[in-house]
Amino acid sequence: MRRKFKAILPFVVILALFMLSACGGGTSSGTGSGDGSKKDEASGGAISAKIGVISYLSGPGAAYGEAITNGLKLAKEEINEEGKVKIELVIEDSAGKADQALSAAQKLINSENVNAIIGPTLSTEMQVVGPVADQNGVPIMGTSTTAAGIPQLGEYVFRDSLPESQAIPAAMKKAVDKYGAKKVAIMYGNDDVFTKSGYDTMKKTAEEMGLEVLTTQTFQKGQSDYKAQLTKIKNLQPDLILCSALYNEGAVIMDQARSMGIDVPFVGGNGFNSPQVIKIAGDAADGLIVATPWFGGKDDPKVQAFVKKYEEAYGKAPDQFSAQAYDGLKIMAKAIADAGSAERDAIRDGLAGIDSYEGVLGKFSFDDEGDVVMEPVVLVIKDGKFQVLE
């Protein structure tokens, strides 16, 4: 299975390529195609693969990067123990910034000669890095990039993270059915690709469901006071608040909303789905509804084994981001094993052929464009923890 090459690259790619050239790094694939054949002999028959990782490890969203790299390291240990594929991870910090993510990609592609890349963490970063990896023929898989249009960046671009276009409608439908909601208010961060994409999906879904949108309020990354927006929302008395936010801003919004007497449920997207929301907002996080491919309480031996290993290794439960990263590297290793090679084109073709993979997220396949095919579960925070919304 091969997807059609996207002939038209966004303007940002042209700019990115110019930047790489100006920095002397060029845009070629460096020493070549990431050929794994020579490494096979050195690893006793296992196919060796150097996988670059671009993750949000410092700054206000560092919890995302920590969860992702924890999941990757756990998966790497298990893959190497199985003996079919020998993984080496080369991890770079993007700090949640597109220009730093681009520099990390330049290093991984041209200096480290990686066979494939996992990451970056944010959709804003992937919109810059994905086309550059594609242009260089390097397979790249996002494990947390959920905005619209990510796999469409190129035929080497994949993701195993449930897109907002699937997660948000599932959460909204469940919430509307549960609470009989007819009137909603919307809040979203208007300076981020991911949160803007989530808003677009919320607005479209509300229109399709015949919901009355009483008001739409915006905010920006790092904002600390949301009382003006929440006062308008409170006066209009919505049945639900749809909020597209990363966990930092989302948790503060919920805390301030509850302190103002707003007690209606919130429906969020993937960025809102983090234990950090509970850690920051405390009891105020109760009533947050999200859809996710990951539920650590699922009665599945694979899920419970992963939860146990993760807790033993890191002293806390895995979240959606660690689970998606864990499955992401396992899927990458399966693609390499199926292809019998760590050569970049072989990995890309192996990924495109992944079908009905059984991971901790459940049954997973890629569609013809490298996007996710799977069923989400809808969760609600109740009594300080995520639970299935019945």
Side-chain angles (χ1 to χ4, degrees):
M1 184 189 304
R2 289 172 66 94
R3 293 174 292 135
K4 294 180 180 178
F5 180 68
K6 309 300 183 291
I8 301 175
L9 293 176
F11 172 77
V12 292
V13 178
I14 298 173
L15 177 61
L17 296 176
F18 173 79
M19 292 171 61
L20 288 178
S21 177
C23 292
T27 57
S28 70
S29 56
T31 56
S33 61
D35 184 0
S37 59
K38 293 181 180 178
K39 299 165 190 166
D40 295 349
E41 298 174 3
S43 58
I47 304 170
S48 293
K50 184 187 282 189
I51 306 298
V53 178
I54 306 172
S55 201
Y56 190 166
L57 291 169
S58 61
Y64 292 129
E66 179 187 2
I68 288 168
T69 51
N70 284 349
L72 292 174
K73 290 174 182 175
L74 207 56
K76 173 195 154 185
E77 290 178 8
E78 295 179 5
I79 292 165
N80 289 350
E81 286 174 1
E82 290 169 1
K84 294 180 181 177
V85 178
K86 180 177 174 57
I87 297 286
E88 176 188 355
L89 296 178
V90 183
I91 300 174
E92 297 289 333
D93 180 15
S94 71
K97 299 175 181 176
D99 58 346
Q100 192 162 323
L102 183 60
S103 296
Q106 176 189 11
K107 178 181 177 182
L108 292 171
I109 294 170
N110 296 323
S111 300
E112 295 289 348
N113 192 32
V114 297
N115 302 90
I117 294 173
I118 286 184
T121 302
L122 303 180
S123 297
T124 302
E125 300 170 306
M126 182 62 103
Q127 282 206 327
V128 175
V129 172
V132 172
D134 185 71
Q135 184 76 1
N136 284 275
V138 178
I140 184 167
M141 181 160 61
T143 65
S144 57
T145 47
T146 55
I150 296 298
Q152 290 74 28
L153 292 172
E155 66 175 342
Y156 288 77
V157 183
F158 298 80
R159 67 175 164 196
D160 78 338
S161 44
L162 190 71
E164 298 293 84
S165 60
Q166 294 184 39
I168 288 174
M172 286 177 61
K173 184 177 187 310
K174 191 80 174 181
V176 167
D177 289 347
K178 173 76 175 179
Y179 300 104
K182 296 180 180 177
K183 302 176 297 180
V184 300
I186 302 179
M187 293 185 72
Y188 76 99
N190 63 357
D191 60 345
D192 179 85
V193 170
F194 161 75
T195 50
K196 174 63 168 58
S197 175
Y199 160 69
D200 291 340
T201 300
M202 287 175 173
K203 180 174 180 288
K204 179 173 181 285
T205 306
E207 290 172 352
E208 291 173 350
M209 295 180 70
L211 299 172
E212 181 183 359
V213 179
L214 300 173
T215 184
T216 299
Q217 300 291 320
T218 63
F219 57 87
Q220 295 188 332
K221 206 176 293 181
Q223 188 171 326
S224 59
D225 188 346
Y226 304 89
K227 293 186 179 65
Q229 293 96 327
L230 291 169
T231 297
K232 293 178 182 176
I233 289 172
K234 182 179 180 181
N235 291 337
L236 292 169
Q237 299 184 326
D239 302 317
L240 294 172
I241 298 174
L242 314 178
C243 186
S244 181
L246 298 174
Y247 71 75
N248 316 69
E249 290 81 13
V252 177
I253 288 170
M254 290 200 72
D255 185 48
Q256 293 183 6
R258 300 310 188 213
S259 69
M260 293 170 64
I262 301 173
D263 59 1
V264 297
F266 277 67
V267 177
N270 282 288
F272 223 146
N273 180 17
S274 169
Q276 291 296 313
V277 175
I278 301 170
K279 185 176 181 181
I280 296 170
D283 293 343
D286 275 19
L288 173 62
I289 297 165
V290 295
T292 173
W294 166 250
F295 177 48
K298 188 185 294 184
D299 186 20
D300 179 319
K302 290 189 298 297
V303 171
Q304 293 312 311
F306 170 62
V307 170
K308 182 180 179 183
K309 282 188 176 180
Y310 193 98
E311 289 177 340
E312 288 175 351
Y314 305 112
K316 55 187 171 184
D319 65 9
Q320 173 186 355
F321 299 94
S322 50
Q324 289 176 163
Y326 176 85
D327 266 4
L329 190 59
K330 292 264 185 152
I331 289 168
M332 188 80 79
K334 177 172 171 51
I336 293 168
D338 289 348
S341 169
E343 196 272 336
R344 291 170 176 173
D345 283 347
I347 295 176
R348 178 207 57 200
D349 291 345
L351 288 172
I354 293 291
D355 184 40
S356 300
Y357 173 81
E358 293 280 358
V360 298
L361 299 176
K363 186 177 289 186
F364 176 91
S365 301
F366 287 117
D367 68 12
D368 286 346
E369 294 191 315
D371 214 342
V372 175
V373 179
M374 68 183 315
E375 288 294 323
V377 59
V378 179
L379 305 179
V380 61
I381 297 178
K382 184 179 179 183
D383 299 329
K385 61 182 181 181
F386 284 102
Q387 304 182 33
V388 175
L389 180 61
E390 302 292 352

